[in-house]
Amino acid sequence: MREITHFIDGAAFTGASGRYGDVFNPNTGEVQARVQLATADEVDRAVQSAVRAQQSWALVNPQRRARVMFEFKRLIERDMDALAELLSSEHGKVIADSKGDIQRGLEVIEFACGIPHALKGEYTEGAGPGIDVYSMRQPLGVAAGITPFNFPGMIPMWMFGIAIATGNTFILKPSEKDPTVPVKLAELMMEAGAPEGVLNVIHGDKVAVDAILDHPDIKAVSFVGSSDIAHYVYSRGTAAGKRVQAMGGAKNHGIILPDADLEQATKDIIGAAYGSAGERCMALPVVVPVGKKTADEVRERVLAELETLKVGISTDAAAQYGPVVSAAHKQKISDYIQMGVDEGAELVVDGRGFQLQGYEKGFFIGPSLFDGVKKGMKTYNEEIFGPVLQIARTETFEEALDLPSSHQYGNGVAIFTRNGRAAREFAARVQVGMVGINVPIPVPVAYHTFGGWKRSAFGDVNQHGMEGVRFYTKTKTITARWPEGAVEDSAFVIPTMQ
Ligand code: NAD
């Protein structure tokens, strides 16, 4: 059986923990590889490699570091087809979606290509007599990233792209469910000219995560995953004195006002709810029509769309989505569907019995639709992370605004309307971090920043864009005096610019 090893000091490193995770082919349900799970000592080995590489990497001028990113971008584009196939074979998303996953990460690499500009400091000439003040951004040292299974290309690149371009070295601990693409990314970084040790990949579970959180030589940790683990990572990492940003789960709402283009809005919601089998933190699993007429029409249109929605294996170019990542996750989604029934929501379409001919052991689940979903139901409060759309009917704009605002998660939200004033008011008042106006999946472009509110993110600083640069650097401010003539006597009071 294929064995997936760690990547330390620019080469494959075979761990000796004797512990492994199964990597499935979600299309067939078979185990296709096993991934080594690291010990704390193996994490330390990766950190020591990153420590050795960091001092000289920080001295490489920003333009040269950017050139590595330019070359990395070229190599990813060269290998895009192979990377997307690998990604699909472990995750289960369709190839076009895997290309999108890699492409969205690549856009952060493109941002990182402009790092010399982003690292320019500030300067004040003549802040006092003969006094100039300037600030510079310096790397933290060694940073680490812990990433989820659902974007094995994009999310590692969000993190290491900016961390490395700003002069840090990096330890990546990808999801153990689909670990191959992250290792390929590290190999490509070496091929692009990054010195050994600048990007190390360590596979593992809680043992590796805890070793990262406790390691004194790791100065910052970026995490993306489910909220309970995000909160744990944030608490333990900050208690150890690290800078931590920890993105969590989501339950995003799509509000449909009565004046919306219902045909377009429904198509958008179908793609955002069921695409990637609903395994996206920016999926739209709750649709909130305002008014009975809107709700009835949206329901009819969704039903019509579901009749032609095609579920297939990840290499089927005609399939809109593929299997979910594991049998355990499929079971969890099925349990949530049953819970919704038990809680009294109307199960309009049940995807639990879905089977794909020839792939009966694959982790497939058909599209499901609930109507009559209400605040207070557990299946509404919690993240299902599967191809399940819930209709939560409302009567007024205020009610529709309240649902996402009072929800425990606050990652993304979308509003569909032709009324600019209503959209503007909604965007200003809603208690959610990323808002789409007639845009179903409002993932901000790479030069803006990504981050939710409430239990969707712990920490103060978002991913990528200038907030990413700030996360991976610390500011140093220098006040310099070059007086002309005699210097005054020592001052015993705090100097001011009087
Ligand atoms: P997960 O929380 O199970 O795993 C994320 C990472 O944490 C993995 O690397 C995993 O190995 C590690 N981990 C798992 N259990 C751990 C434990 N007990 N202690 C320490 N580390 C542990 O998440 P997942 O299932 O891989 O990914 C899906 C989740 O990620 C969803 O909740 C989704 O909403 C969320 N997500 C959020 C964003 C965002 O930006 N907010 C983006 C993508 C995914």
Side-chain angles (χ1 to χ4, degrees):
M1 171 144 329
R2 183 165 66 94
E3 193 151 319
I4 300 163
T5 59
H6 312 295
F7 186 86
I8 301 178
D9 250 347
F13 175 82
T14 303
S17 72
R19 295 192 310 121
Y20 300 90
D22 286 334
V23 178
F24 290 92
N25 175 343
N27 293 307
T28 61
E30 285 160 5
V31 177
Q32 58 164 314
R34 60 180 197 166
V35 60
Q36 300 178 348
L37 303 177
T39 61
D41 282 349
E42 287 159 358
V43 171
D44 181 58
R45 190 183 185 105
V47 177
Q48 293 319 321
S49 158
V51 167
R52 281 193 300 277
Q54 202 269 326
Q55 279 188 342
S56 48
W57 180 244
L59 294 178
V60 172
N61 74 50
Q63 207 159 3
R64 284 177 189 251
R65 293 200 300 257
R67 280 185 198 139
V68 172
M69 292 301 168
F70 273 110
E71 181 60 5
F72 179 61
K73 169 176 153 60
R74 190 188 71 78
L75 296 175
I76 297 251
E77 283 164 350
R78 179 195 72 186
D79 292 355
M80 177 63 97
D81 289 346
L83 287 167
E85 258 179 53
L86 262 179
L87 198 158
S88 287
S89 74
E90 290 182 355
H91 177 288
K93 62 175 85 172
V94 296
I95 301 277
D97 212 25
S98 290
K99 287 187 177 168
D101 181 332
I102 297 163
Q103 179 58 34
R104 285 308 296 245
L106 206 49
E107 289 168 12
V108 174
I109 301 301
E110 287 168 351
F111 173 79
C113 289
I115 211 69
H117 181 70
L119 283 178
K120 281 190 305 188
E122 295 178 325
Y123 191 94
T124 302
E125 183 194 9
I131 296 176
D132 303 320
V133 180
Y134 58 98
S135 62
M136 53 179 76
R137 295 206 153 269
Q138 296 189 327
L140 304 176
V142 178
I146 302 160
T147 55
F149 81 84
N150 70 324
F151 279 101
M154 176 180 82
I155 294 178
M157 282 191 266
W158 277 3
M159 298 174 180
F160 76 70
I162 296 188
I164 291 175
T166 49
N168 302 278
T169 52
F170 202 79
I171 310 293
L172 174 64
K173 205 304 284 171
S175 168
E176 64 278 31
K177 295 189 182 118
D178 45 12
T180 301
V181 164
V183 176
K184 291 280 169 208
L185 297 179
E187 288 170 359
L188 291 178
M189 276 293 286
M190 299 300 119
E191 192 180 340
E196 291 163 5
V198 163
L199 175 56
N200 297 310
V201 182
I202 196 93
H203 301 293
D205 52 9
K206 183 169 163 37
V207 173
V209 171
D210 286 350
I212 287 172
L213 296 174
D214 297 343
H215 202 295
D217 289 331
I218 294 178
K219 303 300 177 198
V221 175
S222 181
F223 173 91
V224 177
S226 51
S227 288
D228 287 347
I229 313 281
H231 187 245
Y232 168 76
V233 165
Y234 183 76
S235 308
R236 187 158 173 163
T238 51
K242 298 181 201 317
R243 204 176 267 196
V244 182
Q245 53 177 189
M247 276 55 196
K251 188 88 183 218
N252 306 320
H253 297 59
I255 315 300
I256 306 191
L257 297 190
D259 67 350
D261 176 343
L262 292 189
E263 187 184 350
Q264 184 63 47
T266 308
K267 283 187 195 308
D268 286 347
I269 280 174
I270 291 281
Y274 298 108
S276 198
E279 294 171 317
R280 290 184 186 136
C281 67
M282 288 296 274
L284 267 192
V286 184
V287 59
V288 183
V290 177
K292 182 173 185 316
K293 187 164 170 284
T294 316
D296 290 345
E297 191 173 336
V298 166
R299 173 178 163 145
E300 285 318 304
R301 285 181 181 276
V302 168
L303 280 172
E305 293 284 336
L306 290 189
E307 273 175 22
T308 56
L309 194 153
K310 183 165 190 291
V311 181
I313 56 169
S314 50
T315 47
D316 178 352
Q320 267 119 356
Y321 75 81
V324 299
V325 72
S326 66
H329 192 49
K330 179 178 168 178
Q331 186 59 48
K332 185 175 148 196
I333 296 165
S334 302
D335 291 348
Y336 268 121
I337 294 174
Q338 186 55 44
M339 190 192 293
V341 174
D342 296 344
E343 287 181 314
E346 179 194 358
L347 182 58
V348 186
V349 179
D350 185 356
R352 285 176 294 182
F354 179 88
Q355 282 218 323
L356 192 66
Q357 212 183 356
Y359 295 90
E360 286 77 9
K361 295 208 168 116
F363 309 140
F364 293 94
I365 186 154
S368 299
L369 176 68
F370 276 105
D371 199 350
V373 170
K374 292 196 170 61
K375 219 172 153 170
M377 290 181 176
K378 205 163 176 234
T379 41
Y380 167 72
N381 290 337
E382 296 186 1
E383 180 182 41
I384 299 176
F385 221 53
V388 182
L389 178 62
Q390 299 173 309
I391 301 177
R393 294 171 177 243
T394 55
E395 287 306 323
T396 64
F397 175 86
E398 289 298 328
E399 235 184 291
L401 175 69
D402 171 65
L403 282 182
S405 297
S406 57
H407 200 278
Q408 62 164 334
Y409 294 117
N411 215 36
V413 68
I415 183 164
F416 298 89
T417 178
R418 290 186 169 99
N419 182 334
R421 194 198 53 74
R424 185 171 182 273
E425 182 177 345
F426 180 85
R429 290 176 58 198
V430 72
Q431 298 300 302
V432 172
M434 292 172 281
V435 182
I437 297 175
N438 298 316
V439 171
I441 307 181
V443 177
V445 290
Y447 44 95
H448 283 259
T449 72
F450 183 105
W453 287 8
K454 297 178 281 184
R455 275 180 55 77
S456 293
F458 301 91
D460 309 312
V461 185
N462 278 358
Q463 298 276 351
H464 65 68
M466 282 309 293
E467 290 211 15
V469 174
R470 282 191 278 277
F471 182 75
Y472 288 113
T473 56
K474 52 196 172 191
T475 307
K476 185 180 280 175
T477 307
I478 292 116
T479 304
R481 181 168 69 161
W482 297 101
E484 265 184 44
V487 178
E488 290 163 22
D489 290 342
S490 302
F492 287 89
V493 292
I494 180 89
T496 63
M497 291 300 170
Q498 293 286 334

